[in-house]
Amino acid sequence: VQLQASGGGSVQTGGSLRLSCVASGSIIRIDAMGWYRQYPGKERELVADISTSGTIKYSDSAKGRFTISRGDAKNTVNLQMNSLKPEDTAVYYCYAGNPVYYNSDYAPVAARDAWGQGTLVTVSS
């Protein structure tokens, strides 16, 4: 399972960005998809995630400003970020929790959580 993230960039305080992530690789099911962010020298922290059933979790800093959604195919996840602040500056990583995919023999395989390559979001004051 591979994840490709896009949409990072630079904005001024109060601006908006939309992050997108697509999972590929003969996917059967992904339990949850979401976004983490990482500050230099710090561990990754949850920003938001969404389950297949639509259950959503937001960090306190994301509530009211960010909106997470999954595509109809359930292998894409988007993060609409509004009212951005300088403290939102970080590298954002998408992830896919408990992915299940078909291997080359068309047998279902449960894989480890997968992570995207990270996309930098910079918010200037």
Side-chain angles (χ1 to χ4, degrees):
V1 176
Q2 295 184 328
L3 302 180
Q4 180 67 45
S6 61
S10 297
V11 295
Q12 293 188 327
T13 297
S16 298
L17 284 173
R18 182 178 177 85
L19 305 183
S20 295
C21 179
V22 180
S24 61
S26 300
I27 294 167
I28 301 171
R29 183 184 73 248
I30 300 174
D31 285 350
M33 296 188 75
W35 295 90
Y36 278 66
R37 65 187 180 190
Q38 188 169 24
Y39 300 108
K42 302 290 187 181
E43 293 186 356
R44 290 181 192 180
E45 61 180 41
L46 175 71
V47 177
D49 72 9
I50 179 169
S51 71
T52 302
S53 63
T55 301
I56 293 174
K57 293 186 292 186
Y58 290 107
S59 67
D60 287 343
S61 63
K63 287 178 184 176
R65 299 187 300 128
F66 295 0
T67 302
I68 191 170
S69 62
R70 285 181 77 165
D72 291 340
K74 305 299 183 185
N75 66 330
T76 63
V77 63
N78 304 300
L79 185 68
Q80 178 66 42
M81 303 187 294
N82 298 327
S83 303
L84 283 162
K85 306 174 182 179
E87 52 263 42
D88 294 317
T89 296
V91 177
Y92 286 69
Y93 295 89
C94 66
Y95 87 100
N98 299 322
V100 179
Y101 68 98
Y102 287 116
N103 65 10
S104 57
D105 295 323
Y106 295 101
V109 176
R112 298 169 61 182
D113 292 351
W115 292 89
Q117 80 280 17
T119 184
L120 178 62
V121 171
T122 303
V123 184
S124 58
S125 58

